């Protein structure tokens, strides 16, 4: 017979330790015997195919002997792999229970497959986690009992781990309740308070400020020896969980309290001031109850201390024992200023003037130059004199300020025209243009005028000119119609050169 033909090979699994192979091409008639080598294990049967099972790991060939006793050659090799390993159950390491602040626990699982990836399955809940490495920390475990299985990369699952027990979260106690508060007296300088609602078992009470510790048990505790001040308390139970802060406990000093008043900063209308702000009474005896009044005797209440307007008010500070004192507080609400710098001015070759701003009724004013220059006699005088102005445009800013308010401003322009020197006179005494008139001359102390003809001969001179020249020479005789040249000295800088046409 022909050698058996090797077909499908089935390898061992996590649950089955042996493999199998499908052999075909067996003798179609009679009975045959298959012999496996090594081992000489035989299988007898009929038919052209046969699955040989229960094959341990190793490398094998198969021969078939027919009913006539004739044996075939060996088949191709059949390799059966080793059974894949089943991982051991995860071992349980450190279990971290829930804490006062964290409601869930965690566990460290060890002995996981060191090579390849793995999958952890949690029961109950069948929650899976995939990873690698021999240890893993599982977090977010709610209180309960859990087991873990691990499946290796070959798909083999371990048996269950030991039980993992996550206890319930330890309780956080409620804030201590405030019972009877006993205030100091002249004979007993300290106060006390009864704290209620304390947790069962032992506890630790902490007083703030001061971090004073009291340890005990029971649902109530009297804390004594409290100096003047404002205190809160926390309690830590036997599970080491700490409560929130209690309500404030105010212990006052016997006798008149100390009230320190800091006047609030000024504001600008229409803003108001909050007299109830802590900064106003900062530094006063702790635990005072403040009330607000219109008079020093504290008989006329002030209805809107959080929106105080301009004026003087009175703050009454009362201790829990009923002692009190009254102190004044000043509120400054500055009024919005206004500014008018006066009308613009046009000057004819005059370099000084008097400003004409409106008087300041609220705040203070000040002049500054924003264009040009000059000397301001009194900077905060709305009617001040300004000298040494520049020819042309000068611009001054009048700024009125009042405390906390934004300043009000207005501008005024002082424009100085240059001298206007005519270039034509018609001295025919018809009442029009008969004289050489320099506009702006009246604003100068002294002006010199010298007139020359075309040849440069001096025709006329006046060392203190007064706009009276009508085209005559030294002798008062009329000069002929012509063009003449002149020098004008004003005492302000270089002399001016010009010309004049005489036409009668």
């Amino acid at each position: 017979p022909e050698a058996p033909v090797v077909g499908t090979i089935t390898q061992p699994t996590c649950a089955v330790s042996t493999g199998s192979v499908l052999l075909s091409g067996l003798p179609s008639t009679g009975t045959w015997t298959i012999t496996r080598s090594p081992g000489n294990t035989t299988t007898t049967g009929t038919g052209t195919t046969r699955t040989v099972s229960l094959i341990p790991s190793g490398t094998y060939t198969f021969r078939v002997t027919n009913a006539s006793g004739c044996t075939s050659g060996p088949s191709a090799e059949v390799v059966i792999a080793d059974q894949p390993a089943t991982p051991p159950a995860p071992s349980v390491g450190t279990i971290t229970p829930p804490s006062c602040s964290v409601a869930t626990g965690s566990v460290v699982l060890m002995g996981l497959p060191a090579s390849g990836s793995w999958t952890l399955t949690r029961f109950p809940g069948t929650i899976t986690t995939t990873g690698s490495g021999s240890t893993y920390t599982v977090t977010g475990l709610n209180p309960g009992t859990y087991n873990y299985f691990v499946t290796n990369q070959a798909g083999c699952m371990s048996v269950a781990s030991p039980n993992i027990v996550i206890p319930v979260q330890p309780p956080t106690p409620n804030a201590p309740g405030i019972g009877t508060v006993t205030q100091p007296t002249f004979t007993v300088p300290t106060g006390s308070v009864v704290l209620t609602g304390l947790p069962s078992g032992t506890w630790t009470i902490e007083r703030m400020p001061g971090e004073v510790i009291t340890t005990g048990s029971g649902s109530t505790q009297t804390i004594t020896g409290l100096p003047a001040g404002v205190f809160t308390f926390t309690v830590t139970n036997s599970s080491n969980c700490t409560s929130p802060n209690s309500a404030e406990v105010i212990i006052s000093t016997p006798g008149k309290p100390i009230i320190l008043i800091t006047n609030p900063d000024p504001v600008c209308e229409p803003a108001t001031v909050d007299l109830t702000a802590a900064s106003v009474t900062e530094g006063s005896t702790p635990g005072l109850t403040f009330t607000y009044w219109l008079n020093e005797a504290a008989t006329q209440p002030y209805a809107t201390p959080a929106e105080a307007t301009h004026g003087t008010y009175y703050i009454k500070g009362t201790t829990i024992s009923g002692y009190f004192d009254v102190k004044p507080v000043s509120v400054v609400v500055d009024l919005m200023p206004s500014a008018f710098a006066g009308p613009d001015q046009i000057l004819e070759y005059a370099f000084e003037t008097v400003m004409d701003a409106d008087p300041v009724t609220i705040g203070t004013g000040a002049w500054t130059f924003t264009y040009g220059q000059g000397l301001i006699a009194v900077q905060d005088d709305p009617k001040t004199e300004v000298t040494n102005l520049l020819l042309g445009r000068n611009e001054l800013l009048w700024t009125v300020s009042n405390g906390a308010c934004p300043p009000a401003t207005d501008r005024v322009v002082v424009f100085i025209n240059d001298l206007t020197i005519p270039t034509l006179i018609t001295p025919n005494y018809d009442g029009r243009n008969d004289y050489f008139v320099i506009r702006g001359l009246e604003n100068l102390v002294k002006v010199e005028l010298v007139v020359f003809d075309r040849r440069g001969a001096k025709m006329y001179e006046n060392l203190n000119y007064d706009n009276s020249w009508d085209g005559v020479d030294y002798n008062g005789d009329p000069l002929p119609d012509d063009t003449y040249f002149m020098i004008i000295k004003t005492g302000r800088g270089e002399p001016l050169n010009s010309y004049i046409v005489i036409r009668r």
Side-chain angles (χ1 to χ4, degrees):
E2 297 291 332
V5 177
V6 176
T8 301
I9 299 173
T10 302
Q11 298 293 344
T13 65
C14 301
V16 180
S17 62
T18 59
S20 64
V21 61
L22 175 64
L23 299 179
S24 62
L26 304 177
S28 59
T29 61
T31 301
W32 42 250
T33 299
I34 296 172
T35 303
R36 186 186 79 199
S37 296
N40 294 322
T41 302
T42 62
T43 301
T44 300
T46 60
T48 59
T49 62
R50 181 64 179 257
T51 297
V52 180
S53 58
L54 301 177
I55 306 173
S57 61
T59 301
Y60 304 94
T61 60
F62 295 86
R63 299 174 185 267
V64 64
T65 301
N66 60 18
S68 302
C70 299
T71 301
S72 72
S75 69
E77 288 185 341
V78 175
V79 178
I80 302 299
D82 292 336
Q83 182 182 21
T86 296
S91 59
V92 177
T94 302
I95 297 175
T96 302
S99 66
C100 303
S101 57
V102 179
T104 59
S106 65
V107 61
V108 177
L109 297 180
M110 303 179 297
L112 305 178
S115 61
S117 61
W118 43 251
T119 299
L120 285 171
T121 302
R122 189 189 87 187
F123 291 93
T126 61
I127 296 174
T128 59
T129 302
T130 301
S132 61
S134 60
T135 62
Y136 182 76
T137 300
V138 181
T139 59
L141 294 175
N142 292 317
T145 300
Y146 304 95
N147 301 102
Y148 280 88
F149 300 79
V150 64
T151 302
N152 62 15
Q153 193 166 340
C156 299
M157 177 181 284
S158 72
V159 296
S161 71
N163 285 344
I164 299 163
V165 179
I166 303 297
V168 297
Q169 183 181 22
T172 296
N174 295 324
I178 304 301
T180 302
V181 178
T182 302
Q183 296 297 329
T185 65
F186 285 105
T187 57
V188 181
T190 59
S192 65
V193 61
V194 176
L195 299 181
T196 63
L198 304 179
S200 59
T202 60
W203 42 249
T204 300
I205 295 171
E206 182 175 5
R207 186 192 87 194
M208 282 81 64
E211 290 71 46
V212 178
I213 302 299
T214 302
T215 301
S217 61
S219 60
T220 64
Q221 176 71 26
T222 300
I223 305 296
T224 59
L226 296 176
V230 180
F231 303 96
T232 59
F233 298 86
T234 61
V235 62
T236 301
N237 62 14
S238 56
S239 300
N240 207 33
C241 296
T242 301
S243 73
N245 287 350
S246 70
E248 289 184 341
V249 175
I250 300 172
I251 303 297
S252 65
T253 302
K256 181 185 290 187
I258 297 172
I259 301 179
L260 297 179
I261 299 297
T262 301
N263 289 325
D265 293 334
V267 297
C268 185
E269 66 167 350
T272 57
V273 170
D274 184 6
L275 292 180
T276 66
S279 58
V280 176
T281 53
E282 186 175 1
S284 301
T285 297
L288 296 179
T289 299
F290 293 104
T291 53
Y292 305 87
W293 306 86
L294 294 173
N295 61 331
E296 188 174 5
T299 58
Q300 301 175 35
Y302 183 39
T304 57
E307 298 177 348
T309 56
H310 188 87
T312 299
Y313 304 93
Y314 297 87
I315 299 178
K316 180 179 180 181
T318 305
T319 69
I320 199 167
S321 303
Y323 296 97
F324 67 87
D325 196 10
V326 180
K327 294 291 183 181
V329 59
S330 295
V331 175
V332 176
V333 179
D334 293 323
L335 299 178
M336 190 70 71
S338 63
F340 177 65
D344 292 342
Q345 301 182 33
I346 299 178
L347 306 180
E348 299 296 337
Y349 209 66
F351 295 88
E352 60 186 39
T353 187
V354 175
M355 307 311 296
D356 192 23
D358 283 352
V360 177
T361 57
I362 298 173
T364 58
W367 289 105
T368 54
F369 274 91
T370 59
Y371 192 83
Q373 68 180 44
L375 297 177
I376 300 171
V378 182
Q379 192 172 25
D380 60 356
D381 182 1
K383 310 294 183 182
T384 188
E385 183 180 17
V386 181
T387 59
N388 289 20
L389 293 166
L390 292 181
L391 188 67
R393 182 183 180 87
N394 297 270
E395 186 176 285
L396 290 93
L397 182 69
W398 178 238
T399 302
V400 179
S401 302
N402 188 34
C405 294
T409 59
D410 190 31
R411 286 176 170 78
V412 63
V413 173
V414 180
F415 195 90
I416 301 176
N417 287 324
D418 202 351
L419 288 175
T420 303
I421 301 174
T423 56
L424 171 69
I425 61 173
T426 57
N428 55 9
Y429 307 107
D430 60 356
R432 294 180 300 173
N433 205 30
D434 294 324
Y435 297 93
F436 178 68
V437 177
I438 301 175
R439 194 170 67 186
L441 182 71
E442 65 276 7
N443 294 317
L444 298 174
V445 175
K446 182 180 180 181
V447 174
E448 297 180 14
L449 175 66
V450 183
V451 181
F452 302 88
D453 64 10
R454 291 177 181 273
R455 298 183 303 277
K458 186 186 296 185
M459 297 287 102
Y460 177 80
E461 182 178 29
N462 189 330
L463 300 181
N464 192 10
Y465 186 60
D466 57 359
N467 283 342
S468 62
W469 184 57
D470 56 357
V472 298
D473 61 13
Y474 277 112
N475 300 318
D477 296 327
L479 291 172
D481 289 2
D482 203 349
T483 299
Y484 297 85
F485 302 92
M486 56 180 61
I487 297 174
I488 302 171
K489 297 180 180 179
T490 65
R492 299 185 66 89
E494 296 294 327
L496 304 175
N497 296 316
S498 186
Y499 70 92
I500 187 70
V501 175
I502 298 177
R503 185 176 302 154
R504 300 185 185 277

